Amino acid sequence: MKTIGQLLKYARDNKGYSLRRIEDITKIKASFIDAIEKEKWENLPPFPTILGFVKSISTALNIDEKMTVAILKRDYPPKKLNINPKPDVASKFSWSPKLTFAVGIGVFLFFIFGYLFFQYAKSISAPSLEVESPKDGQIIVGNSVLVFGKTDLDAKIVINNQPIIIDENGKFSVSIEVVPSTKEIDVVATSRSGKITEVKRQILVTSN
């Protein structure tokens, strides 16, 4: 059975076409056509380009394109794989006590630095503050209003200029005296670094 190079050269000679004639028809360099006929793959572009060349030459020589493509795929040499017949067993990954120790130290340091960073970020940020009561616009009947909520454990709470004590969970609850002229409950949380979070609630005090 003819190889792809032999088949194309035979068909070209049979038609009496020179390499230059095929070059004029297909616009493929004569040197490439010659390399295909001699199957000098190292002198040719990558396989997809060679495949296109063979299809164009087949059309110019009136050869069955599917047949020439099949023969080309059969004859084109596959790339050689660099296989080490004696793999280096020592190069394989293995989990050792030293690696366990190193990973443990790395994880420990990661958590330590993560904790320190968290504490630093917390120390320079404003404290959290949630005021559950009173609600904004709430109508207060009487001369006092219950104010309660939650903040950070290390924060200080001041309500309408009155210092308030928070419990071990950061919660606070206090009854603040009000009069009809009291229009606002001002809750201020201050962190150790002096950062402030403030929540103001508008109220309407009535004696009825």
Side-chain angles (χ1 to χ4, degrees):
M1 181 178 290
K2 288 185 174 64
T3 64
I4 185 63
Q6 293 170 344
L7 177 65
L8 294 179
K9 187 176 188 309
Y10 175 81
R12 180 173 63 80
D13 291 341
N14 192 47
K15 282 187 169 295
Y17 287 173
S18 65
L19 291 174
R20 184 65 62 184
R21 176 69 183 279
I22 299 298
E23 180 182 36
D24 292 339
I25 297 173
T26 62
K27 308 305 179 184
I28 301 170
K29 290 182 180 180
S31 59
F32 286 159
I33 300 171
D34 183 59
I36 293 173
E37 290 184 353
K38 295 178 180 178
E39 298 175 30
K40 293 184 177 181
W41 310 115
E42 67 276 7
N43 297 334
L44 290 163
F47 179 76
T49 305
I50 298 174
L51 182 62
F53 287 170
V54 169
K55 289 180 179 180
S56 296
I57 296 170
S58 299
T59 301
L61 296 175
N62 294 322
I63 308 175
D64 184 357
E65 182 180 303
K66 291 183 179 179
M67 177 187 68
T68 55
V69 167
I71 296 175
L72 171 65
K73 291 181 178 179
R74 181 200 68 189
D75 294 343
Y76 189 79
K79 293 183 179 180
K80 295 182 179 180
L81 299 176
N82 294 323
I83 302 176
N84 186 358
K86 296 180 180 180
D88 187 2
V89 177
S91 64
K92 291 184 178 180
F93 174 79
S94 61
W95 194 274
S96 64
K98 288 184 178 180
L99 182 58
T100 301
F101 177 76
V103 171
I105 291 296
V107 172
F108 175 75
L109 291 176
F110 173 80
F111 280 106
I112 288 295
F113 284 112
Y115 174 77
L116 292 176
F117 177 79
F118 172 77
Q119 292 299 323
Y120 172 74
K122 184 178 179 181
S123 68
I124 63 174
S125 60
S128 63
L129 177 59
E130 298 177 11
V131 178
E132 298 181 33
S133 176
K135 302 297 183 182
D136 197 42
Q138 183 172 327
I139 298 175
I140 309 300
V141 179
N143 57 2
S144 66
V145 57
L146 180 62
V147 182
F148 62 89
K150 185 177 182 181
T151 186
D152 295 341
L153 290 176
D154 59 350
K156 295 180 179 179
I157 291 292
V158 175
I159 302 177
N160 283 16
N161 297 320
Q162 299 180 39
I164 305 300
I165 297 175
I166 63 174
D167 64 16
E168 65 276 6
N169 297 314
K171 294 182 178 181
F172 57 89
S173 179
V174 64
S175 180
I176 299 294
E177 292 185 1
V178 294
V179 295
S181 61
T182 305
K183 304 298 182 184
E184 182 179 79
I185 296 296
D186 185 19
V187 183
V188 179
T190 305
S191 68
R192 289 182 179 178
S193 62
K195 299 293 184 179
I196 293 175
T197 301
E198 184 175 17
V199 173
K200 293 184 177 183
R201 295 289 166 80
Q202 303 298 315
I203 61 172
L204 177 62
V205 181
T206 177
S207 58
N208 296 325

